[in-house]
């Protein structure tokens, strides 16, 4: 990132246009006239399949649920334009939050120097300080997929304090509401691009002529035709989701302050901490008011937890789940579903490593070479405290920040499970 141009960063992935240097990015992205006439390329999309474990509320049993998450990414120049407009809009947005007194309410997608660990701890500390209170946790259904285009435009115009979107802003808005996608797998297959080594002998996916004659001509461009939803993953999408919610955030904060409570929102996760007597009324008001934004609350993920001071100890009727952690008034733990996902991922990873080892050893034996043992260092790097960036390191960092001995105890058996999986 260039300090004098904080919106710019080097991007080297493969797309329909070549990577763009700083001078070229400045020339286009900072020129309203050029942006207003800019032709945005389709996003390239693919799906990441993940297995989530969902707990049955009646039996408590964890059951696997397959989830396909769409990932889309913009062309190089398009991304620089989005980054520049996100940077310029974010200052206006931060000013608006300060003006409305909600800077401490909106947590996600802002440069606050904090992570979800810190935000969860702040909420749990608020509960501990109050001792007797309720926590109402609500989740917005399909957040990015359901942002209404008309309301988004109105929020954008309001932030700029204009009557209409200027031509350059409208160009960016239109590219995000009338966006198109091209499926990555189909695209690579059609253009004979290796999915394992796509950059071989190329610095862009194809020239403009090939894009027109092959990609577009063969119906590979899929247009988003409904009047709601913006793509996740562009440099401006997260900020726009916050801008969309400004009026609601102001209302929610004022409503909960009337009864002596606090309001937090992390993307589509909302948390209200307030006196127990007001919990049901506030939940009902929120559920009703948020429909004005043409979005709704996911009933299955709603949690209402009561905390009481009993014999000098803060106790919950049920542990509260928030931003990947649970809190029962005394102990902060990592969600059991996250631990189960780690265990499944670790087992698959170790089995794959062992299968690869066996395959390579067969080839070594055929060549008259001695077989080798499993290369454990790579496994440790991915699935243990010996790595630098993995689930275990995240858990240990969380335990340290939250001063949770219970969380450290929760993580301790995972090393033994890893060793057992390696040696069996």
């Amino acid at each position: 990132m260039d300090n004098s141009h904080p919106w710019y960063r080097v991007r080297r992935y493969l797309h329909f246009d070549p990577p763009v240097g700083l001078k070229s990015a400045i020339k286009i992205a900072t020129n309203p006239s050029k942006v207003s006439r800019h032709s945005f390329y389709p996003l390239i999309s693919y799906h990441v399949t993940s297995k989530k474990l969902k707990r049955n509320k009646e039996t408590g049993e964890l059951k696997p649920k397959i989830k396909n998450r769409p990932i889309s990414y913009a062309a190089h120049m398009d991304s620089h334009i989005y980054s520049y407009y996100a940077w310029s809009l974010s200052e206006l947005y931060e000013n608006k939050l300060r003006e409305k007194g909600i800077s401490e309410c909106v947590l996600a997608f802002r440069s606050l120097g904090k992570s979800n660990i810190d935000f969860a701890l702040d909420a749990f500390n608020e509960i501990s300080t109050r001792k007797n209170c309720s926590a109402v946790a609500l989740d917005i259904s399909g957040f990015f997929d359901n942002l209404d285009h008309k309301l988004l435009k109105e929020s954008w115009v309001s932030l700029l304090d204009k009557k209409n979107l200027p031509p350059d802003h409208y160009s960016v808005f239109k590219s995000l509401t009338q966006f198109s996608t091209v499926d990555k797998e189909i695209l690579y297959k059609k253009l004979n691009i290796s999915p394992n080594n796509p950059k071989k002998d190329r610095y862009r996916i194809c020239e403009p002529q090939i894009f027109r004659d092959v990609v577009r001509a063969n119906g590979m461009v899929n247009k988003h035709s409904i009047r709601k939803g913006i793509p996740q993953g562009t440099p401006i999408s997260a900020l726009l989701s916050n801008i969309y919610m400004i009026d609601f955030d102001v209302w929610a904060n004022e409503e909960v302050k009337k009864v002596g409570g606090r309001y937090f929102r992390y993307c589509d996760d909302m948390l209200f901490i307030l006196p127990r007597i007001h919990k049901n009324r506030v939940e009902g008001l929120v559920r009703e008011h948020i429909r004005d934004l043409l979005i709704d609350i996911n009933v299955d993920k709603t949690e209402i937890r009561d905390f009481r001071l009993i014999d000098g100890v803060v106790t919950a009727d049920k542990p509260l789940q928030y931003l990947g952690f649970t809190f029962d008034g005394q102990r902060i733990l990592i969600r059991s579903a996250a631990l189960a996902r780690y265990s499944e991922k670790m087992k698959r990873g170790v089995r794959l490593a062992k299968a690869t080892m066996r395959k390579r050893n067969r080839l070594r034996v055929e060549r008259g070479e001695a077989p080798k043992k499993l290369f454990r260092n790579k496994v440790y790097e991915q699935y243990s405290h010996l790595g630098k960036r993995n689930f275990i390191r995240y858990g240990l960092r969380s335990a340290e920040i939250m001063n949770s001995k219970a969380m450290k105890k929760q993580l301790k058996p995972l090393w033994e499970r890893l060793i057992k999986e390696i040696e069996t």
Side-chain angles (χ1 to χ4, degrees):
M1 180 183 290
D2 187 308
N3 290 331
S4 58
H5 301 283
W7 54 272
Y8 177 85
R9 71 178 181 85
V10 177
R11 294 177 167 88
R12 300 198 185 281
Y13 53 78
L14 205 62
H15 216 290
F16 292 118
D17 62 344
V20 177
L22 176 60
K23 287 184 179 179
S24 297
I26 292 172
K27 187 177 179 180
I28 301 295
T30 65
N31 187 321
S33 177
K34 289 183 181 297
V35 171
S36 66
R37 300 192 307 272
H38 181 74
S39 296
F40 290 82
Y41 271 112
L43 303 163
I44 294 178
S45 66
Y46 62 97
H47 284 79
V48 173
T49 302
S50 59
K51 184 165 73 171
K52 295 191 73 175
L53 293 167
K54 191 171 183 180
R55 189 177 297 279
N56 186 300
K57 290 185 177 181
E58 295 179 0
T59 65
E61 182 183 1
L62 285 170
K63 287 191 173 182
K65 181 181 178 183
I66 303 299
K67 185 175 182 181
N68 284 316
R69 187 163 62 96
I71 304 291
S72 300
Y73 55 104
H76 293 283
M77 185 58 81
D78 300 351
S79 290
H80 292 307
I81 292 172
Y82 292 144
S83 292
Y84 177 75
Y85 277 78
W87 174 73
S88 60
L89 286 172
S90 64
E91 186 175 355
L92 296 175
Y93 176 71
E94 292 296 329
N95 290 339
K96 179 74 77 172
L97 295 187
R98 285 191 289 271
E99 175 194 327
K100 298 295 184 180
I102 56 171
S103 290
E104 294 183 359
C105 301
V106 183
L107 308 178
F109 314 132
R110 297 173 60 205
S111 300
L112 299 175
K114 289 185 173 184
S115 69
N116 67 303
I117 303 169
D118 303 294
F119 297 136
L121 181 60
D122 289 345
F124 299 154
N125 285 341
E126 179 73 21
I127 292 170
S128 297
T129 300
R130 289 173 178 262
K131 296 179 175 60
N132 290 290
C133 62
S134 286
V136 179
L138 303 171
D139 182 271
I140 301 171
S141 297
F143 190 34
F144 285 87
D145 293 338
N146 288 299
L147 299 184
D148 181 78
H149 295 167
K150 182 174 180 289
L151 295 180
L152 175 60
K153 186 179 179 184
E154 289 174 0
S155 298
W156 197 329
V157 168
S158 176
L159 185 66
L160 293 174
D161 197 19
K162 304 275 188 183
K163 289 185 178 179
N164 295 293
L165 284 180
D168 56 322
H169 283 263
Y170 180 73
S171 176
V172 176
F173 166 79
K174 186 178 177 182
S175 74
L176 292 160
T177 53
Q178 299 179 31
F179 65 94
S180 298
T181 60
V182 174
D183 184 273
K184 183 179 179 180
E185 185 178 347
I186 296 172
L187 175 67
Y188 278 23
K189 189 173 182 180
K190 186 71 176 178
L191 298 181
N192 295 315
I193 299 174
S194 167
N196 299 318
N197 188 19
K199 289 186 178 181
K200 184 181 179 183
D201 301 328
R202 67 178 72 228
Y203 65 102
R204 66 190 297 176
I205 284 178
C206 61
E207 296 296 326
Q209 188 70 36
I210 299 295
F211 175 79
R212 289 191 293 269
D213 294 348
V214 178
V215 179
R216 192 176 290 283
N218 281 277
M220 296 167 67
V221 178
N222 305 300
K223 191 169 180 60
H224 182 78
S225 56
I226 58 176
R227 296 181 179 179
K228 64 178 182 177
I230 61 173
Q232 294 187 54
T234 78
I236 198 174
S237 298
L239 174 64
L240 292 182
S241 72
N242 274 344
I243 291 172
Y244 188 89
M245 295 292 291
I246 287 178
D247 289 343
F248 176 86
D249 289 333
V250 171
W251 172 84
N253 183 55
E254 290 176 351
E255 197 64 35
V256 80
K257 278 176 69 176
K258 290 178 186 175
V259 298
R262 287 193 67 184
Y263 164 63
F264 305 95
R265 182 176 64 80
Y266 189 96
C267 189
D268 54 0
D269 287 318
M270 294 182 288
L271 181 67
F272 299 82
I273 300 172
L274 67 176
R276 289 197 302 272
I277 193 173
H278 299 292
K279 62 182 181 183
N280 292 326
R281 186 182 71 85
V282 168
E283 187 222 353
L285 282 173
V286 170
R287 196 181 296 279
E288 181 181 331
H289 197 83
I290 206 165
R291 292 196 183 106
D292 292 342
L293 294 178
L294 303 180
I295 51 180
D296 214 339
I297 300 297
N298 186 339
V299 180
D300 293 337
K301 291 187 177 181
T302 296
E303 287 190 3
I304 301 178
R305 302 291 183 254
D306 292 334
F307 292 85
R308 291 180 170 82
L309 184 65
I310 302 174
D311 297 329
V313 177
V314 179
T315 306
D317 56 346
K318 278 186 178 181
L320 170 69
Q321 297 189 58
Y322 185 57
L323 302 184
F325 302 95
T326 65
F327 181 57
D328 63 2
Q330 291 296 306
R331 300 184 309 159
I332 302 175
L333 296 170
I334 296 173
R335 288 181 61 194
S336 57
L339 291 172
R341 279 199 303 272
Y342 158 80
S343 293
E344 284 296 314
K345 187 177 179 181
M346 179 269 290
K347 288 176 182 177
R348 288 197 305 271
V350 172
R351 288 167 189 166
L352 178 60
K354 288 161 79 172
T356 302
M357 175 196 69
R358 287 192 293 269
K359 181 179 178 181
R360 288 178 178 173
N361 279 340
R362 280 197 298 270
L363 295 174
R364 290 181 67 85
V365 170
E366 288 174 7
R367 295 194 299 264
E369 299 172 2
K372 288 187 176 182
K373 292 182 179 180
L374 180 70
F375 188 59
R376 293 193 178 206
N377 286 354
K378 190 172 182 181
V379 176
Y380 291 158
E381 177 71 28
Q382 291 180 295
Y383 304 110
S384 82
H385 62 284
L386 299 175
K388 293 180 180 178
R389 293 178 64 85
N390 59 40
F391 177 79
I392 301 297
R393 294 302 304 177
Y394 168 77
L396 292 172
R397 188 169 74 254
S398 302
E400 192 70 29
I401 293 171
M402 296 174 154
N403 192 26
S404 174
K405 292 180 181 178
M407 197 182 300
K408 288 181 180 178
K409 188 177 179 180
Q410 192 183 21
L411 293 166
K412 194 173 181 180
L414 299 183
W415 171 256
E416 293 177 3
R417 289 184 200 171
L418 174 59
I419 298 301
K420 184 179 179 181
E421 192 67 32
I422 290 173
E423 294 181 349
T424 54

